[in-house]
Protein backbone atom coordinates (compact mmCIF):
# COMPACT_ATOMS: atom_id res chain seq x y z
CA UNK A 1 0.00 0.00 0.00
CA UNK A 2 1.22 3.52 -0.82
CA UNK A 3 1.56 6.18 1.89
CA UNK A 4 3.33 9.51 2.48
CA UNK A 5 5.95 8.79 5.14
CA UNK A 6 7.75 11.41 7.25
CA UNK A 7 11.48 10.66 7.36
CA UNK A 8 12.66 14.05 8.60
CA UNK A 9 12.79 17.73 7.76
CA UNK A 10 11.94 18.33 4.09
CA UNK A 11 11.98 14.58 3.62
CA UNK A 12 8.52 13.15 3.04
CA UNK A 13 8.42 10.16 0.68
CA UNK A 14 5.50 8.46 -0.98
CA UNK A 15 6.45 4.82 -0.64
CA UNK A 16 5.19 1.29 -0.11
CA UNK A 17 4.26 0.42 3.49
CA UNK A 18 2.64 -2.67 4.98
CA UNK A 19 -1.13 -3.04 4.75
CA UNK A 20 -2.76 -2.14 8.08
CA UNK A 21 -3.88 -5.08 10.22
CA UNK A 22 -7.48 -4.90 11.45
CA UNK A 23 -7.77 -5.89 15.12
CA UNK A 24 -10.99 -7.20 16.68
CA UNK A 25 -11.97 -3.71 17.82
CA UNK A 26 -10.79 -1.86 14.72
CA UNK A 27 -12.36 -0.21 11.69
CA UNK A 28 -10.47 -0.19 8.38
CA UNK A 29 -11.04 3.08 6.50
CA UNK A 30 -10.54 3.52 2.75
CA UNK A 31 -9.33 7.11 2.83
CA UNK A 32 -11.49 9.41 0.67
CA UNK A 33 -9.46 12.50 1.53
CA UNK A 34 -6.89 13.74 4.03
CA UNK A 35 -6.22 17.42 4.62
CA UNK A 36 -2.77 18.95 4.94
CA UNK A 37 -2.62 20.79 8.27
CA UNK A 38 -0.43 23.64 9.49
CA UNK A 39 1.19 21.22 11.91
CA UNK A 40 2.14 18.95 8.99
CA UNK A 41 3.83 21.96 7.39
CA UNK A 42 5.71 22.74 10.61
CA UNK A 43 6.97 19.15 10.71
CA UNK A 44 7.97 19.31 7.06
CA UNK A 45 9.68 22.71 7.17
CA UNK A 46 11.11 22.79 10.71
CA UNK A 47 10.58 19.37 12.28
CA UNK A 48 10.63 16.93 13.77
CA UNK A 49 8.64 18.89 16.40
CA UNK A 50 5.88 16.58 17.63
CA UNK A 51 6.79 13.60 15.46
CA UNK A 52 8.71 11.25 17.81
CA UNK A 53 12.27 11.04 16.55
CA UNK A 54 14.88 10.02 19.13
CA UNK A 55 12.41 8.43 21.58
CA UNK A 56 9.34 6.40 20.61
CA UNK A 57 5.95 7.97 21.35
CA UNK A 58 4.74 6.74 24.78
CA UNK A 59 1.29 5.74 23.46
CA UNK A 60 2.21 4.13 20.12
CA UNK A 61 5.76 2.98 20.82
CA UNK A 62 6.65 4.18 17.31
CA UNK A 63 9.09 6.78 16.00
CA UNK A 64 10.03 8.25 12.62
CA UNK A 65 9.85 7.28 9.84
CA UNK A 66 6.05 7.43 10.29
CA UNK A 67 3.07 7.78 7.93
CA UNK A 68 1.59 11.30 8.00
CA UNK A 69 -1.92 12.75 7.81
CA UNK A 70 -4.36 13.29 10.69
CA UNK A 71 -7.34 15.05 9.02
CA UNK A 72 -9.11 12.23 7.23
CA UNK A 73 -12.16 10.13 6.64
CA UNK A 74 -13.63 7.80 4.09
CA UNK A 75 -15.57 4.60 3.54
CA UNK A 76 -15.35 1.65 5.89
CA UNK A 77 -13.66 -1.27 4.08
CA UNK A 78 -13.70 -3.82 6.93
CA UNK A 79 -14.50 -4.08 10.63
CA UNK A 80 -13.09 -6.31 13.38
CA UNK A 81 -15.20 -9.06 14.96
CA UNK A 82 -16.02 -6.95 18.05
CA UNK A 83 -17.38 -4.02 16.03
CA UNK A 84 -21.16 -4.23 15.71
CA UNK A 85 -22.30 -0.62 15.22
CA UNK A 86 -20.20 0.35 12.18
CA UNK A 87 -20.69 -1.44 8.86
CA UNK A 88 -18.68 -1.88 5.66
CA UNK A 89 -19.68 0.90 3.27
CA UNK A 90 -20.45 3.47 5.99
CA UNK A 91 -18.74 6.85 5.64
CA UNK A 92 -16.82 7.94 8.73
CA UNK A 93 -14.58 10.73 9.97
CA UNK A 94 -11.63 9.82 12.20
CA UNK A 95 -10.83 11.55 15.50
CA UNK A 96 -7.02 11.14 15.50
CA UNK A 97 -6.32 11.97 19.18
CA UNK A 98 -4.12 9.39 20.93
CA UNK A 99 -3.96 9.34 24.73
CA UNK A 100 -2.53 7.19 27.52
CA UNK A 101 -5.73 6.56 29.50
CA UNK A 102 -3.88 6.64 32.83
CA UNK A 103 -2.75 10.19 33.58
CA UNK A 104 -4.74 12.62 35.75
CA UNK A 105 -6.30 14.26 32.67
CA UNK A 106 -7.37 11.00 31.03
CA UNK A 107 -8.80 9.63 34.26
CA UNK A 108 -10.62 12.95 34.67
CA UNK A 109 -12.17 12.59 31.20
CA UNK A 110 -10.05 15.29 29.52
CA UNK A 111 -8.33 12.95 27.09
CA UNK A 112 -7.37 15.80 24.76
CA UNK A 113 -5.22 17.26 27.56
CA UNK A 114 -3.36 13.96 28.10
CA UNK A 115 0.24 14.25 29.30
CA UNK A 116 1.21 11.90 26.46
CA UNK A 117 -1.10 13.43 23.83
CA UNK A 118 -0.46 12.29 20.30
CA UNK A 119 -2.22 12.04 16.95
CA UNK A 120 -2.70 9.31 14.38
CA UNK A 121 -0.62 10.57 11.46
CA UNK A 122 1.95 12.41 13.61
CA UNK A 123 2.75 9.99 16.43
CA UNK A 124 2.24 6.57 14.82
CA UNK A 125 -0.76 4.23 14.31
CA UNK A 126 -0.74 4.94 10.58
CA UNK A 127 -1.72 8.13 8.78
CA UNK A 128 -4.32 9.48 6.39
CA UNK A 129 -1.98 10.17 3.48
CA UNK A 130 -2.42 6.53 2.57
CA UNK A 131 -4.90 4.28 0.80
CA UNK A 132 -6.15 2.76 4.07
CA UNK A 133 -5.86 3.26 7.84
CA UNK A 134 -7.07 0.94 10.63
CA UNK A 135 -8.22 2.71 13.82
CA UNK A 136 -10.04 1.63 16.99
CA UNK A 137 -13.86 1.85 16.73
CA UNK A 138 -14.01 4.71 19.27
CA UNK A 139 -12.08 6.98 16.88
CA UNK A 140 -14.66 6.93 14.07
CA UNK A 141 -17.86 8.96 13.88
CA UNK A 142 -20.65 8.43 11.36
CA UNK A 143 -20.60 10.88 8.45
CA UNK A 144 -23.86 11.61 6.58
CA UNK A 145 -24.33 10.33 3.02
CA UNK A 146 -25.82 13.69 2.02
CA UNK A 147 -22.37 15.31 2.34
CA UNK A 148 -19.48 14.47 -0.04
CA UNK A 149 -17.26 11.82 1.58
CA UNK A 150 -14.11 13.89 1.13
CA UNK A 151 -15.57 16.55 3.44
CA UNK A 152 -15.08 14.01 6.25
CA UNK A 153 -11.46 15.22 6.17
CA UNK A 154 -12.67 18.67 7.28
CA UNK A 155 -14.34 17.42 10.48
CA UNK A 156 -10.98 17.67 12.26
CA UNK A 157 -10.17 21.35 11.57
CA UNK A 158 -13.80 22.35 12.14
CA UNK A 159 -13.69 20.53 15.49
CA UNK A 160 -10.71 22.74 16.41
CA UNK A 161 -12.75 25.87 15.60
CA UNK A 162 -15.85 24.62 17.38
CA UNK A 163 -13.81 23.68 20.47
CA UNK A 164 -12.26 27.17 20.54
CA UNK A 165 -15.69 28.81 20.44
CA UNK A 166 -16.99 26.47 23.14
CA UNK A 167 -13.94 27.37 25.27
CA UNK A 168 -14.43 31.11 24.82
CA UNK A 169 -16.63 33.24 27.02
CA UNK A 170 -19.28 34.96 24.93
CA UNK A 171 -23.02 34.79 24.39
CA UNK A 172 -25.35 35.10 21.43
CA UNK A 173 -25.54 38.76 20.48
CA UNK A 174 -21.93 39.51 21.48
CA UNK A 175 -19.26 40.87 19.13
CA UNK A 176 -16.29 38.70 18.19
CA UNK A 177 -12.94 39.35 16.51
CA UNK A 178 -10.82 36.65 14.85
CA UNK A 179 -7.13 37.39 14.20
CA UNK A 180 -5.94 35.22 11.33
CA UNK A 181 -8.09 33.72 8.57
CA UNK A 182 -6.14 30.62 7.66
CA UNK A 183 -8.00 27.30 7.67
CA UNK A 184 -8.53 27.27 11.45
CA UNK A 185 -9.41 30.97 11.62
CA UNK A 186 -12.06 30.33 8.97
CA UNK A 187 -13.54 27.51 11.05
CA UNK A 188 -13.57 29.81 14.10
CA UNK A 189 -15.44 32.47 12.09
CA UNK A 190 -18.06 29.90 11.07
CA UNK A 191 -18.40 28.47 14.58
CA UNK A 192 -18.75 31.98 16.07
CA UNK A 193 -21.51 32.78 13.58
CA UNK A 194 -23.19 29.47 14.45
CA UNK A 195 -22.96 30.37 18.15
CA UNK A 196 -24.90 33.57 17.54
CA UNK A 197 -22.21 36.25 17.44
CA UNK A 198 -23.65 39.62 16.42
CA UNK A 199 -20.78 41.16 14.47
CA UNK A 200 -17.78 39.02 13.55
CA UNK A 201 -14.61 40.93 12.65
CA UNK A 202 -11.82 39.08 10.83
CA UNK A 203 -8.31 40.53 10.67
CA UNK A 204 -6.12 39.03 7.93
CA UNK A 205 -3.42 40.51 5.67
CA UNK A 206 -3.76 38.05 2.79
CA UNK A 207 -6.48 39.08 0.35
CA UNK A 208 -7.73 35.61 -0.61
CA UNK A 209 -8.11 34.58 3.01
CA UNK A 210 -9.71 37.89 3.95
CA UNK A 211 -12.26 37.46 1.14
CA UNK A 212 -12.91 33.88 2.28
CA UNK A 213 -13.55 35.12 5.83
CA UNK A 214 -16.26 37.37 4.43
CA UNK A 215 -17.64 34.55 2.31
CA UNK A 216 -17.99 32.22 5.32
CA UNK A 217 -19.66 34.75 7.59
CA UNK A 218 -17.39 37.53 8.86
CA UNK A 219 -19.37 40.79 8.81
CA UNK A 220 -16.32 43.05 8.69
CA UNK A 221 -12.88 42.16 7.32
CA UNK A 222 -9.82 44.27 8.09
CA UNK A 223 -6.40 44.31 6.39
CA UNK A 224 -3.74 44.95 9.06
CA UNK A 225 -1.10 45.56 6.38
CA UNK A 226 -3.03 48.51 4.96
CA UNK A 227 -4.49 50.11 8.10
CA UNK A 228 -4.37 50.14 11.89
CA UNK A 229 -6.82 47.28 12.31
CA UNK A 230 -6.74 47.40 16.11
CA UNK A 231 -7.62 51.07 16.09
CA UNK A 232 -10.47 50.46 13.64
CA UNK A 233 -11.80 47.65 15.83
CA UNK A 234 -11.65 49.69 19.01
CA UNK A 235 -13.39 52.62 17.32
CA UNK A 236 -16.14 50.45 15.88
CA UNK A 237 -16.88 48.68 19.16
CA UNK A 238 -16.68 51.38 21.82
CA UNK A 239 -13.31 50.11 23.02
CA UNK A 240 -13.36 46.38 22.37
CA UNK A 241 -15.29 43.27 21.41
CA UNK A 242 -16.63 40.71 23.87
CA UNK A 243 -14.42 37.86 22.68
CA UNK A 244 -11.31 37.59 20.53
CA UNK A 245 -9.57 34.60 18.98
CA UNK A 246 -5.86 34.47 18.12
CA UNK A 247 -5.36 32.14 15.17
CA UNK A 248 -2.16 33.37 13.51
CA UNK A 249 0.63 32.40 15.90
CA UNK A 250 2.70 35.57 15.89
CA UNK A 251 3.42 38.28 18.46
CA UNK A 252 1.44 41.07 16.78
CA UNK A 253 -1.77 39.06 16.73
CA UNK A 254 -1.51 37.95 20.36
CA UNK A 255 -0.96 41.53 21.46
CA UNK A 256 -3.83 42.78 19.28
CA UNK A 257 -6.15 39.97 20.38
CA UNK A 258 -5.66 41.03 24.00
CA UNK A 259 -5.95 44.76 23.29
CA UNK A 260 -9.05 44.29 21.12
CA UNK A 261 -11.01 42.54 23.88
CA UNK A 262 -13.14 44.83 26.03
CA UNK A 263 -12.51 45.06 29.75
CA UNK A 264 -13.69 41.78 31.30
CA UNK A 265 -13.56 40.31 27.78
CA UNK A 266 -12.39 36.88 26.71
CA UNK A 267 -9.24 36.09 24.68
CA UNK A 268 -8.78 32.58 23.29
CA UNK A 269 -5.40 31.55 21.86
CA UNK A 270 -5.80 28.76 19.31
CA UNK A 271 -2.43 28.95 17.50
CA UNK A 272 0.81 27.14 18.14
CA UNK A 273 3.88 29.40 18.18
CA UNK A 274 7.37 28.85 16.84
CA UNK A 275 8.82 31.59 19.06
CA UNK A 276 8.23 33.30 22.41
CA UNK A 277 6.28 36.56 22.32
CA UNK A 278 6.44 39.71 24.46
CA UNK A 279 3.19 40.73 26.16
CA UNK A 280 2.10 43.56 28.45
CA UNK A 281 0.52 41.75 31.44
CA UNK A 282 -1.01 45.03 32.61
CA UNK A 283 -3.46 44.77 29.71
CA UNK A 284 -4.68 41.51 31.24
CA UNK A 285 -4.64 42.76 34.84
CA UNK A 286 -6.08 46.24 34.50
CA UNK A 287 -8.70 45.20 31.97
CA UNK A 288 -9.56 42.03 33.90
CA UNK A 289 -9.35 40.21 30.57
CA UNK A 290 -9.40 36.42 30.62
CA UNK A 291 -6.77 34.83 28.39
CA UNK A 292 -7.16 31.12 27.74
CA UNK A 293 -5.89 28.46 25.38
CA UNK A 294 -7.82 26.04 23.22
CA UNK A 295 -6.15 22.80 22.13
CA UNK A 296 -7.60 20.40 19.58
CA UNK A 297 -11.02 18.96 20.52
CA UNK A 298 -12.51 16.39 22.84
CA UNK A 299 -11.69 12.71 22.38
CA UNK A 300 -11.80 9.47 24.32
CA UNK A 301 -13.70 6.18 24.63
CA UNK A 302 -17.06 7.93 24.23
CA UNK A 303 -15.85 10.18 21.43
CA UNK A 304 -15.94 13.96 21.63
CA UNK A 305 -18.69 16.55 21.47
CA UNK A 306 -17.15 18.46 18.56
CA UNK A 307 -16.49 15.41 16.36
CA UNK A 308 -20.04 14.27 17.05
CA UNK A 309 -21.57 17.63 16.17
CA UNK A 310 -19.60 18.76 13.10
CA UNK A 311 -20.92 16.13 10.61
CA UNK A 312 -24.51 17.12 11.46
CA UNK A 313 -23.61 20.80 11.19
CA UNK A 314 -22.17 20.12 7.70
CA UNK A 315 -25.36 18.27 6.73
CA UNK A 316 -27.71 21.06 7.81
CA UNK A 317 -25.51 23.82 6.37
CA UNK A 318 -24.62 25.46 9.70
CA UNK A 319 -20.97 24.91 8.80
CA UNK A 320 -19.71 24.88 5.20
CA UNK A 321 -16.36 23.22 4.54
CA UNK A 322 -16.23 23.66 0.75
CA UNK A 323 -15.02 27.31 0.64
CA UNK A 324 -11.86 26.26 2.53
CA UNK A 325 -10.85 23.65 -0.04
CA UNK A 326 -8.43 25.25 -2.50
CA UNK A 327 -7.02 22.10 -4.13
CA UNK A 328 -7.62 18.38 -4.46
CA UNK A 329 -4.45 16.45 -5.29
CA UNK A 330 -3.25 12.86 -5.73
CA UNK A 331 -1.12 11.10 -3.11
CA UNK A 332 1.94 11.13 -5.38
CA UNK A 333 1.75 14.94 -5.57
CA UNK A 334 1.61 15.50 -1.78
CA UNK A 335 5.05 17.13 -1.57
CA UNK A 336 5.15 19.29 -4.72
CA UNK A 337 1.47 20.26 -4.98
CA UNK A 338 0.79 20.00 -1.24
CA UNK A 339 3.54 20.90 1.24
CA UNK A 340 5.60 23.05 -1.14
CA UNK A 341 2.54 24.85 -2.51
CA UNK A 342 1.22 25.65 0.98
CA UNK A 343 4.63 26.96 2.07
CA UNK A 344 4.90 29.22 -1.00
CA UNK A 345 3.61 32.69 -0.06
CA UNK A 346 2.97 33.43 -3.75
CA UNK A 347 0.34 30.69 -3.87
CA UNK A 348 -3.07 31.23 -2.29
CA UNK A 349 -3.63 27.67 -1.06
CA UNK A 350 -5.81 27.36 2.06
CA UNK A 351 -6.80 23.70 2.60
CA UNK A 352 -5.32 21.10 0.26
CA UNK A 353 -7.05 17.73 0.24
CA UNK A 354 -5.01 14.68 -0.68
CA UNK A 355 -7.22 12.05 -2.27
CA UNK A 356 -5.34 8.74 -2.18
ZN1 LIG B 1 -4.67 19.42 12.01
ZN1 LIG C 1 -3.30 10.55 29.54
Amino acid sequence: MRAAVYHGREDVRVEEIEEPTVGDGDVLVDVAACGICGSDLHEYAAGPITVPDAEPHPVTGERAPLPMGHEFGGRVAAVGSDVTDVAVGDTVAVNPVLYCGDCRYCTGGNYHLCESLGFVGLSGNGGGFAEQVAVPREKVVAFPDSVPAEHAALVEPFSVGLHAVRNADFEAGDDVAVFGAGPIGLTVVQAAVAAGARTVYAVEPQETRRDLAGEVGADVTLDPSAMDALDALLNATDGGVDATFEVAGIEATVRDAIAAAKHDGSVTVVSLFEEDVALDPNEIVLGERSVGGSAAYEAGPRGGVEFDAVPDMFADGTLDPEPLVSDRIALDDVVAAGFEALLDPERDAVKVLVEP
Side-chain angles (χ1 to χ4, degrees), residues 37 39 70-71 156:
C37 174
S39 55
H70 60 272
E71 303 180 354
E156 200 266 3

Side-chain angles (χ1 to χ4, degrees), residues 99-107 111 113-116:
Y99 55 91
C100 75
D102 296 321
C103 73
R104 61 191 292 192
Y105 305 105
C106 286
T107 52
Y111 298 92
L113 301 179
C114 175
E115 288 171 356
S116 304

